Amino acid sequence: MGEMRHNWTKQEILDIYSKPLMELLYEAATVHRLHHDPNTVQVSTLLSIKTGGCPEDCGYCPQAARYHTNIESNDLMSVQQVKAQALRAKASGSSRVCMGAAWRNVKDGQEFDQVLEMVRTINKLDMEVCCTLGMITENQAQRLAEAGLYAYNHNLDSSEEYYKEVISTRGFEDRLQTIENVRKTNVTVCSGGIIGMGEKIEDRTGMLVALSTLNPQPESVPINALVAVEGTPLEAQEPVSIWEMIRMVATTRIVMPETQVRLSAGRTEMSREGQAMCFFAGANSIFAGDKLLTTPNPDVKEDMKMFELLGLNPQKPFIKKMKPQSVEAADSRYQALGEKPKWSRPEHTIDRNEAAKKKSKTVK
Ligand code: SF4
């Protein structure tokens, strides 16, 4: 039980997902205990370093410029602002800062250099640093690694089939390519998805096939429950039930035994009992802070109370992997190459995305 496999099939994963709940929970908890300390949960703080105005059309995202949402767009934060926030996060028990920028892909230049400086700064605070900046080239991944990046997040979002129903401005293969570029460095991979976007169970298991057959498997897999934001194409989606979340977490744990399974967006809707069951089912990471990029998240003090209640301890940094060295900009071995890769633009029509775009024009 709980052996590392990279050949999971959709049917096998579907069979696991569909087991009687008590059996599924028992199996997942057993795998969890074999590979992790069940009383330790890693805590990350997500920081939106550049908010809104994104050119992509992700159907779940309030940061896409083409939809009308109540998001206030912001330019790239300064290194000092990021440092102040990281120190606050550290003081409240976070071991990792994850910086998100609403970009389609990284472009070489002053802004990326500023992000590299943020990475160096947080690394020096003895915290794990993660970035989520969109598609990146191998050279950009190397430069991030050299600055001391610990993890790069790039979600697959859903199965390859359902991805096409949510996003039309880039292809699934671009996601895989970015993950491959990160894998050429010593940066760890964080990649997961969202449930509750109207997908079938087969899409959830299809996404788990795509993630679990990566070799090595991602070190971190966030499982998000859609937070349906007004103005986005998915605004009318019904929230997923806690039972679906528990099943998804448990199945992820079983097929990716070493991975840190991350309970991500949608936690505000979950009771403590529901979250406790997710931890029992193998979730061992959360995002802290009152905001998850732009959507609400439980207050960190409430989370710490929950930890106390459940006897959970926040994981110390660099437990799973050594702290990466950070090279100063002046000593860098890598130059900006100014590459302009041709990331795909399928541009097929997604009716609900088009409708949300049209509606936005009448509101703006
Ligand atoms: S999910 Fe990321 S890439 Fe997609 S619209 Fe939002 S910010 Fe842009």
Side-chain angles (χ1 to χ4, degrees):
M1 188 187 273
E3 84 271 37
M4 190 65 74
R5 280 181 48 191
H6 300 280
N7 59 352
W8 290 99
T9 65
K10 222 168 172 174
Q11 190 56 50
E12 280 177 312
I13 299 183
L14 189 61
D15 290 346
I16 296 173
Y17 186 98
S18 317
K19 280 187 184 208
L21 189 68
M22 296 309 133
E23 215 170 299
L24 175 61
L25 278 175
Y26 180 72
E27 196 175 316
T30 308
V31 172
H32 189 46
R33 258 139 235 273
L34 282 173
H35 296 267
H36 305 268
D37 170 1
N39 299 317
T40 299
V41 171
Q42 194 268 327
V43 183
S44 288
T45 292
L46 192 51
L47 210 58
S48 185
I49 57 169
K50 190 263 165 196
T51 310
C54 184
E56 302 288 78
D57 78 335
C58 309
Y60 50 82
C61 183
Q63 300 200 63
R66 63 187 73 202
Y67 310 133
H68 181 80
T69 60
N70 286 329
I71 296 302
E72 205 184 303
S73 294
N74 283 311
D75 292 339
L76 188 61
M77 270 189 190
S78 70
V79 176
Q80 280 316 314
Q81 277 173 311
V82 165
K83 185 176 179 184
Q85 301 253 25
L87 283 169
R88 211 170 305 149
K90 188 177 179 180
S92 66
S94 279
S95 60
R96 182 182 293 191
V97 173
C98 180
M99 297 187 282
W103 290 330
R104 168 173 165 81
N105 59 285
V106 167
K107 295 190 184 90
D108 291 335
Q110 192 269 325
E111 289 202 322
F112 184 44
D113 292 346
Q114 197 166 316
V115 172
L116 293 171
E117 202 46 43
M118 293 172 188
V119 173
R120 289 186 196 99
T121 305
I122 303 174
N123 176 288
K124 283 182 200 137
L125 300 177
D126 283 329
M127 297 182 82
E128 297 172 0
V129 198
C130 173
C131 279
T132 181
L133 313 169
M135 276 93 73
I136 55 171
T137 64
E138 186 184 337
N139 172 262
Q140 290 163 340
Q142 292 291 6
R143 295 181 72 204
L144 284 163
E146 196 190 38
L149 192 74
Y150 186 87
Y152 195 82
N153 164 271
H154 203 59
N155 290 335
L156 292 186
D157 291 342
S158 192
S159 67
E160 182 162 10
E161 297 77 25
Y162 200 69
Y163 187 89
K164 295 190 186 84
E165 306 285 326
V166 180
I167 302 156
S168 76
T169 52
R170 52 159 199 262
F172 195 76
E173 65 281 4
D174 294 331
R175 310 305 280 174
L176 297 171
Q177 184 58 54
T178 288
I179 292 173
E180 215 178 298
N181 290 340
V182 174
R183 271 291 172 229
K184 290 177 187 149
T185 71
N186 61 3
V187 174
T188 61
V189 169
C190 172
S191 184
I194 309 173
I195 65 170
M197 299 193 291
E199 74 286 342
K200 296 198 208 66
I201 305 293
E202 285 75 8
D203 294 307
R204 296 177 189 170
T205 55
M207 177 181 88
L208 292 181
V209 170
L211 292 168
S212 64
T213 52
L214 291 172
N215 192 3
Q217 293 176 339
E219 284 81 354
S220 156
V221 171
I223 303 294
N224 295 278
L226 177 77
V227 177
V229 177
E230 203 184 326
T232 61
L234 296 176
E235 64 179 6
Q237 283 298 323
E238 289 292 323
V240 287
S241 81
I242 186 68
W243 306 111
E244 292 173 272
M245 251 336 244
I246 294 167
R247 283 190 179 277
M248 190 65 185
V249 164
T251 310
T252 308
R253 164 54 64 231
I254 293 168
V255 299
M256 290 181 268
E258 291 279 350
T259 294
Q260 294 223 251
V261 179
R262 202 169 284 276
L263 216 48
S264 303
R267 233 165 27 88
T268 29
E269 301 303 313
M270 293 180 204
S271 67
R272 281 189 176 163
E273 293 87 336
Q275 292 182 63
M277 278 189 98
C278 287
F279 294 131
F280 184 71
N284 59 349
S285 170
I286 59 164
F287 280 115
D290 59 356
K291 262 202 175 155
L292 265 194
L293 294 178
T294 59
T295 54
N297 198 47
D299 180 81
V300 69
K301 287 199 192 91
E302 288 302 308
D303 279 338
M304 288 307 135
K305 272 191 216 154
M306 172 176 72
F307 273 30
E308 212 180 307
L309 198 69
L310 303 178
L312 296 173
N313 303 306
Q315 182 178 299
K316 298 207 164 47
F318 313 115
I319 292 288
K320 301 273 175 183
K321 198 171 182 223
M322 258 174 46
K323 178 180 167 181
Q325 275 196 324
S326 173
V327 175
E328 294 302 327
D331 304 322
S332 173
R333 283 172 47 223
Y334 295 93
Q335 304 290 322
L337 298 178
E339 299 164 287
K340 293 198 172 74
K342 286 220 175 329
W343 301 108
S344 70
R345 279 190 190 279
E347 306 278 22
H348 53 278
T349 305
I350 303 173
D351 291 343
R352 58 189 176 195
N353 288 15
E354 290 304 312
K357 190 171 148 189
K358 217 156 141 198
K359 197 167 136 200
S360 143
K361 282 191 185 135
T362 61
V363 185
K364 272 177 188 167

